[in-house]
Structure formats: structure tokens, C-alpha cells
Amino acid sequence: MTKKKEISVTRTSLPPFEEYCAAIRPLWESRLMTNMGALHGQFSDALRSRFGCGVTLFSHGHLALEAALEILACRGSEVITTPFTFVSTVHAIVRRGLTPVFCDVLPSDGTLNPAGLEALITPRTAAILPVHVYGNPCDVDAIEAVARRHGLPVIYDAAHAFDVRYQDRPLVTFGDASILSFHATKVFSTIEGGAVCYGEDAAGMSAAEFAVRLDDCKNFGIRDEETCVFPGGNAKMNELQAAMGLCNLRHFDEAVAARGRVLTQYLDALTPLLASGAVSLLLPREGTRPNYAYSPVLFASPEARDKAYTALREAGIHPRKYFWPPVTDTQCYRSARYPGADDTPVAHDLSARVLCLPLYDSLTPEDVRRIVRTVAD
């Protein structure tokens, strides 16, 4: 009996091996492997050109988020965010010594619901941290209006949203800062890595001032050989990561187009299930050019989701319950009962019914049909 191939929820995009080897070969001559080297500079410039905003690279997306919070969430003790996200979002808040305050999400796309935002703001609020879940843009206009009324910075967790465009502009240009993750599971990868993106005015700071402070956070606060101004950490992107980023960037548009074709195949195969109401979709708002990072499917009940999950796993197909449980119900947070934790019914409902099906650029039409047949059975 022939064993069917295993299908993972995602597959890391890699450039041609020879191309990457050629990119890193000069490092064996220079031995300059880190400390904001030549490839780091080239990669930064390429992203600035693509997004039209400031970009500071980090070794990890999580550390990029911690740095942004360190600088921008400094006039209070609470940060409003969502429980429908990867734990890193909330970990970054807690690790900075701040208190997360939880706001419910929209049932249409899983992003923070601006209607519940204002009631959570207090004199202790330091920042608002919404998440572009699955790359679906938040209601940035409504969030910005609330933030302006209260003089609060907005930091977007855009880990899923590399190169997503909304209202004809890069999604990372909204808010005071946006955080990207370049982890190997993301649609764009440097294996590990991340960035903070920002405009000309980040909560009253110029882009140049903000960039200097971000560099302080990621390079021990060292300005030159004799000057250390801040007790920063070490979160510099190394040259091997930067080389991977430059190579993957050359192939990114092609990879996204392929992912888009796979998602179209999913939609066709899922048509009977969608028509019957067995499943539904979490779709980005109008005016979005997506990056097809994820393929979330919402089942009619938690029991139906769990049945499909089990059937897929038994068939050698590995979906993920992104994001189950909600952060507020994870072991390290459920006993704390942070503000708002008990008032997020939509987030809890979505978390119990969502399943991300496998999606990557080399997934075949037969793979898609096999996945959907397993769900339907």
C-alpha cells in the first residue's frame, strides 16, 4: 500500500540554492557576518523602496515588537490588544512590564473591533496594539480616529501582512509603527527575522529619531566605540538572514501569485460546503490586495472543526487551529484574568471554530482536492 504524502500547513519558501550560495559567498571573504553589514543595508533599502516608509530590521519579529513597545508605550501601564492572535503579541506586552487589556474582534475577519475600543481606554492606557489577523487589514480608519481623540500611539502587529496593500497603500504604513515577522512559516521569510516599519512621524518623533532609538534597542544602546546611551539588547539581523531576504524578495511576487491560484482552487473545491453552510470564510475588507498568507475556514460548530481536524491529521494532512485557544485561555494567562479577558465572546467563538488549511505556493490541485474531500467526509 502506497503511503500518501504528508502535507504541512505551510512550507518555507526558499530561493534557488545556487542563488543563495552566490549571495553569501562574499561573506567567506570579508568575514563580516553581522553588525549591520552590507547585505543588511541592501535589504533595508529594498524594503524601504518597496513600502515607501522607514524600515528597521531585527533578528526576530517578536523582538521588533518589544522594541516598538519600549519606545512608544512609555506613558502608561496598559496596552489594548486582542486575544485572537499568536501568543507573541501578548508576551511582548507582558515582557515589557505592561498590562494587556483585551478587546473583542469582528466576526467578519477576526480583527480588533473598534466599537469596543473606546470603553477600554483609561488614564493608564499607553498604546493600542491591533493585529492584522491572517493579513486581513484592521479597520484602520476607525482605530486611528479613536487613537487621535485620546492621543495614543497605534502599533500594528502586521506579522501576517507582508506586502499587503489597503486603500492603495502598503498596510505597514498605517499607524505609528507596524511590526513584520520574517519567520520561516510566514509568506515572506529570512528564516528568522523581523522589522519595524514607520512613517515620518511616530508618536511625535521624526523618522530619523525613531530609527536611532530602535537601533539603540537592538544594539545594546551602543552608538559608537566609546558611547553607550541605553541598556538595549541584541536583536540585530545578521548577514545570512539579510541575504535570504534579498533572494526571497526577488521571487516574492511569483510566489504570492502561485498562492493566490491555490486559494482559488480551494474556493472552487469548497463551493458545496460553503453553499450548505457547513463552512464559511473570514475575508479581508474591500480595498485589500492580499498576500494569501493563510487559508482560514470557519466551521459551523466547534465539534465540526475538531472532527475535520482529526480526520485531516489521520490522513497525513496537518492543518492548524490558528488561534486556539485564545491567548486569554492559555495556561500562562488564564489565571491572571487581565482586563477585558472575560468579555471577548466573538474571539472565543472564532477560536473554537476556525481551522487554517494548508497553503503554500507548491501545493498542487490534487493536494487541494484531497484536503477538501477529507474535510467533506
Side-chain angles (χ1 to χ4, degrees):
M1 182 177 178
T2 303
K3 182 180 179 181
K4 290 187 176 180
K5 74 175 184 180
E6 299 280 315
I7 300 177
S8 299
V9 70
T10 189
R11 189 179 184 204
T12 302
S13 292
L14 292 171
F17 181 68
E18 296 75 12
E19 181 180 332
Y20 183 66
C21 288
I24 64 174
R25 186 175 302 280
L27 301 178
W28 264 251
E29 300 169 5
S30 70
R31 305 299 172 100
L32 299 176
M33 306 299 289
T34 187
N35 288 348
M36 283 88 88
L39 296 177
H40 178 284
Q42 292 172 31
F43 185 36
S44 297
D45 289 345
L47 294 182
R48 290 187 192 107
S49 177
R50 191 175 187 101
F51 299 146
C53 66
V55 176
T56 296
L57 299 174
F58 280 76
S59 60
H60 301 81
H62 177 87
L63 296 178
L65 179 52
E66 286 199 14
L69 286 166
E70 173 82 20
I71 299 167
L72 296 177
C74 57
R75 296 180 181 175
S77 59
E78 297 179 347
V79 176
I80 300 173
T81 191
T82 162
F84 192 59
T85 183
F86 185 54
V87 291
S88 171
T89 309
V90 180
H91 284 355
I93 295 169
V94 173
R95 283 168 55 84
R96 294 277 15 111
L98 300 163
T99 299
V101 175
F102 292 102
C103 184
D104 210 356
V105 300
L106 293 167
S108 56
D109 60 14
T111 65
L112 186 146
N113 188 346
L117 187 55
E118 202 141 23
L120 297 172
I121 295 173
T122 74
R124 298 181 297 278
T125 306
I128 302 169
L129 177 51
V131 182
H132 298 307
V133 180
Y134 310 128
N136 295 339
C138 296
D139 188 343
V140 292
D141 295 326
I143 291 170
E144 177 67 17
V146 173
R148 279 200 305 265
R149 282 198 295 273
H150 294 271
L152 293 171
V154 179
I155 305 166
Y156 283 106
D157 183 334
H160 304 168
F162 185 90
D163 210 49
V164 172
R165 293 184 68 90
Y166 179 59
Q167 298 178 355
D168 294 323
R169 57 186 275 199
L171 188 57
V172 294
T173 62
F174 290 91
D176 294 281
S178 291
I179 313 305
L180 290 171
S181 170
F182 305 147
H183 186 264
T185 58
K186 299 298 187 289
V187 66
F188 175 83
S189 165
T190 59
I191 310 305
E192 292 278 5
V196 181
C197 302
Y198 45 92
E200 288 303 315
D201 177 33
M205 279 177 283
S206 69
E209 181 184 358
F210 191 42
V212 168
R213 296 190 64 183
L214 287 169
D215 282 344
D216 288 341
C217 286
K218 75 175 188 179
N219 189 34
F220 302 106
I222 295 172
R223 297 278 177 88
D224 58 44
E225 291 184 8
E226 299 180 357
T227 307
C228 182
V229 299
F230 177 79
N234 182 13
K236 301 183 296 294
M237 176 177 283
N238 64 56
E239 292 290 84
L240 296 169
Q241 291 175 291
M244 182 62 73
L246 284 164
C247 291
N248 272 336
L249 198 58
R250 297 187 193 108
H251 303 279
F252 178 75
D253 292 335
E254 178 184 349
V256 168
R259 295 172 79 101
R261 290 191 291 271
V262 173
L263 194 59
T264 297
Q265 293 160 9
Y266 264 126
L267 294 176
D268 290 343
L270 286 167
T271 297
L273 294 175
L274 291 167
S276 70
V279 301
S280 58
L281 303 176
L282 294 171
L283 297 173
R285 61 188 61 248
E286 186 178 350
T288 301
R289 189 193 74 182
N291 63 5
Y292 310 110
Y294 295 89
S295 55
V297 173
L298 199 63
F299 286 79
S301 68
E303 294 77 17
R305 190 275 302 272
D306 291 345
K307 179 182 177 183
Y309 174 81
T310 300
L312 288 164
R313 292 295 298 263
E314 289 176 349
I317 301 163
H318 302 276
R320 290 296 298 269
K321 300 176 185 179
Y322 288 141
F323 295 97
W324 171 262
V327 175
T328 48
D329 288 1
T330 57
Q331 183 175 346
C332 64
Y333 291 120
R334 64 189 176 208
S335 62
R337 307 324 301 168
Y338 287 111
D342 297 321
D343 195 25
T344 55
V346 177
H348 279 72
D349 175 61
L350 294 183
S351 181
R353 295 192 293 123
V354 74
L355 193 64
C356 282
L357 302 179
L359 178 59
Y360 45 89
D361 53 7
S362 60
L363 205 65
T364 69
E366 175 52 37
D367 291 334
V368 171
R369 289 191 291 270
R370 177 185 160 200
I371 292 164
V372 175
R373 280 198 305 269
T374 305
V375 169
D377 292 344

